Amino acid sequence: MDCSATHDAEVTLRALLTGTRKWPGDDAVDAAAEARCNAAFASYVGVPFEQSRLETDFYTTDRTGRSAGDRRLICLVYDPDNTSLTRSLRGSHL
């Protein structure tokens, strides 16, 4: 993707959550996704999430998707003060 084109978020990680098809519960899925996304955030942005003004979010499957074998995780980073980014946040140290 061309990061000079207007965008509101960037993908920092595409991965699979560990585990089986059995639904571990919303809290467990959220905790696992947050841990993976925060690690990816630090690597992508260049500072730990806790030291950044940027935010992170994620998309993952629901109970139905998990039971079908879908364990995808997509992590995002975005700037809450700028929803029309025209440059990459990679290595920005913001």
Side-chain angles (χ1 to χ4, degrees):
M1 179 172 154
D2 178 9
C3 285
S4 65
T6 302
H7 58 286
D8 58 3
E10 296 173 22
V11 174
T12 59
L13 177 72
R14 293 177 196 268
L16 296 177
L17 292 173
T18 59
T20 65
R21 290 179 179 218
K22 183 179 178 206
W23 182 248
D26 292 337
D27 291 341
V29 170
D30 288 350
E34 286 176 15
R36 295 282 307 270
C37 290
N38 284 351
F41 178 98
S43 177
Y44 189 88
V45 175
V47 295
F49 174 71
E50 297 81 11
Q51 296 175 12
S52 177
R53 68 175 181 80
L54 301 176
E55 294 290 332
T56 187
D57 201 357
F58 62 85
Y59 294 102
T60 191
T61 191
D62 59 9
R63 178 189 298 258
T64 303
R66 180 79 172 227
S67 67
D70 183 2
R71 298 184 329 254
R72 283 180 287 184
L73 170 65
I74 301 171
C75 302
L76 305 169
V77 61
Y78 65 96
D79 184 343
D81 298 325
N82 184 359
T83 58
S84 297
L85 297 168
T86 55
R87 65 178 182 86
S88 179
L89 295 173
R90 182 185 295 267
S92 66
H93 294 85
L94 295 175

